[in-house]
Amino acid sequence: MAAVLLSKSERAYIQSSLKATPPLRADGRGLLDFRTVLLETGVAPLANGSARLNIGKMAREGGGGTEIVAAAKLEVEDVESGDGVDGGRVACSVTCSPAAYPHLSSNALDELQHDLSVILQQTIGHPSLHPRNLTIIPRKKSWLLNLDAVVLADAGNVVDALFMAARAALWDAKVPRTRAVQYRAPEALKSAKNDVPGAMDVDEGTSGFDTRDMARTAADFELPDYWDEGETLDGREKWPVCVTLNLLTPRHFLDATPAEEASVPQRLHLMFSFVPSAPPTLQAMRLLGPEELDLKDLKESIAFGEQYAKELFTALETKLREEDNRRNIKARDRFALMR
Amino acid sequence: MICFASFPATSDASGSYGTTRHHPDVEDDVRMDLDEDDFEEGVQRLTVPGESITSSHAFMRGHGTYVDDEEVIASVAGTVERVNKLITVRAVRSRYNPEVGDLVVGRITEVQPRRWKVDANSRQDAVLMLSSVNLPGGVQRRKLESDELQMRTFFEEGDLLVAEVQAFFADGAMSLHTRSLRYGKLRNGQLVTVPPILIRRLKSHFVSLPCGVDLILGLNGYIWVSKHVKQSDQEGEEGFDAEAVYSNKNDEIDDATRAAIARVSNIIKVLASHFVPLTDAVLLEAYEWAVDQENSVKDLLADETGENLVASIGLGIRP
């Protein structure tokens, strides 16, 4: 996305290597190989769900690789005052660290952040993916799900990494259990008022503690003290994954390095959602680059993309369940120690 | 095709932080108690940031140190160096500190009046003056106004070049020159970046491996890995061929050479991640080992293979 300086001969070298038979990439990977992805969930203790992800870090090396931290945080919103929406809402934002893009001016960095935020917001915040358990009290209070991602380093393929990190953070997110609290007027007071209108002039009506006129519905909520942090977001299997097809007709390849990104004319981002017992759905699509793409080629690319996304999804799912297990075991051990 | 892994655990490493580990060669030196007259020639001492080096009464503080409570304290991790009474610490990881005569590989970032700005992994961009490049049509030709107008035909933004550090400006920026037939624009290969400290000063920084791969080890940590070009072809028929020197077109490169270039690049990355100083001998040995193992090119980047590779050439810090 960010323009990396590359000389003409380097670009020609990368392109001709990719077009050779068999194709060869700078680090010897095949066209469809990803670099190793490192993933950890639950990295931010104050967030409701968080994840750290790195693509392409060399073992033992201190830095390197595309590094993303994503965190989901829930916030209470008042629906009546107009802040919130009944049923809750999802707000996504992406911040790029200037250290990840040292060659960009602050304006260019803002633009990049905005672009990434829009992609994330429009895909993750889509109504078809909206979790149903973001309501606290119907028509009164709801959760606002903030999903914030920070790009700490960019070594190519940021969008895929962003969606993987977002999915991991949302997978990890726990909605706190709430219990509705309602005010109930004592029966005696109620009958007294209905008794003889105007007979006695008691100033009950002016009391601030008098809640008789209030509707008998939940007015507020409390957080019960539970051993776990709450329940997972509804429909967490649905969160999409993204695959980026770098198109160098007639070939395409995955997980490009910055140099490779700079030397392909077109990129196609495909976001797929895989719900068990339903066909995969294409949630969003972005085509970047100056060239055109035939409808026929586009269809083909989408079919390929679906296949790759499925693999990516399965691998990510396995890793996320592994992470869940790891953290549950850790929590259980700590609990056992405390007892 | 995609595989997930966990971040290396930090908790189990904490156990070994209690004891400091050192390279076996320097272990004895480190154990020595350092007195004021212990800064002998040939004795390398490693520091961590915040480590006290010596008293500030007897010595002066230099780069990489500061004085606190009458003691000279290291502000970076690196090796202690002493010149008379001046104590400096040379950082293990830093930007490139240029010296006159160094061979560097750089990338053009900007074209300015009569000069190019070059990114050479230093603190400031280097400068390449129009007067310090070879112009087409004779090495000794005077530069003309027409040359100033067509500077982009020689070098444009993004181009890679190999040059030598000629001098320094008052602000510390380095001035480069390409007035040799071996210097100039780079083609037919790819760039690998390593920490500058890993590049040793060698007799020649143009290394030719027998697998048909040429290496240019820039002292700034940029390494150019390219197809082998014969000495005679490189210099052209009549000594200087402007077409070839400023060309953007790659030669025909066969698949075996491409694979060799990728393999050499991966070997360099592995050695750099294990912090092995790079010399032509080390690279050659590592390449032979890699070919003997008959691994595919991408397997080299696996952690295990990397460790075996470093062990095979008998270098690196053993755990």
Short mmCIF file of all heavy atoms in Angstrom, two decimals, chain B residues 51 56 84 118 166 178 262:
data_model
loop_
_atom_site.label_atom_id
_atom_site.label_comp_id
_atom_site.label_asym_id
_atom_site.label_seq_id
_atom_site.Cartn_x
_atom_site.Cartn_y
_atom_site.Cartn_z
N GLU B 51 25.67 -0.28 32.32
CA GLU B 51 26.78 -0.93 33.01
C GLU B 51 27.91 0.08 33.23
O GLU B 51 28.26 0.84 32.33
CB GLU B 51 27.28 -2.10 32.15
CG GLU B 51 28.32 -2.95 32.84
CD GLU B 51 28.75 -4.10 31.94
OE1 GLU B 51 27.92 -4.59 31.16
OE2 GLU B 51 29.92 -4.48 32.03
N SER B 56 35.29 8.14 36.12
CA SER B 56 35.34 9.28 35.21
C SER B 56 36.52 10.19 35.52
O SER B 56 36.79 11.13 34.79
CB SER B 56 34.04 10.08 35.28
OG SER B 56 33.92 10.66 36.55
N ASN B 84 43.66 6.31 23.96
CA ASN B 84 44.28 7.04 25.07
C ASN B 84 43.34 7.09 26.26
O ASN B 84 43.02 6.07 26.85
CB ASN B 84 44.72 8.43 24.63
CG ASN B 84 45.84 8.33 23.60
OD1 ASN B 84 46.62 7.38 23.63
ND2 ASN B 84 45.89 9.28 22.69
N VAL B 118 21.12 9.85 -1.61
CA VAL B 118 21.22 8.38 -1.60
C VAL B 118 20.97 7.87 -0.19
O VAL B 118 21.59 8.35 0.77
CB VAL B 118 22.62 7.93 -2.06
CG1 VAL B 118 22.69 6.42 -2.13
CG2 VAL B 118 22.98 8.54 -3.39
N GLN B 166 33.60 9.21 -0.36
CA GLN B 166 34.68 10.06 -0.83
C GLN B 166 35.13 11.04 0.25
O GLN B 166 36.32 11.21 0.49
CB GLN B 166 34.18 10.83 -2.04
CG GLN B 166 35.22 11.65 -2.75
CD GLN B 166 34.65 12.29 -4.00
OE1 GLN B 166 33.47 12.66 -4.02
NE2 GLN B 166 35.46 12.39 -5.02
N THR B 178 31.33 7.42 -7.81
CA THR B 178 31.28 6.17 -8.58
C THR B 178 32.30 6.23 -9.72
O THR B 178 32.07 5.70 -10.79
CB THR B 178 29.88 5.92 -9.17
OG1 THR B 178 29.57 6.98 -10.06
CG2 THR B 178 28.83 5.86 -8.11
N ALA B 262 18.58 -16.91 -4.82
CA ALA B 262 17.65 -17.01 -3.71
C ALA B 262 18.29 -17.76 -2.55
O ALA B 262 18.11 -17.39 -1.38
CB ALA B 262 16.38 -17.73 -4.16
#
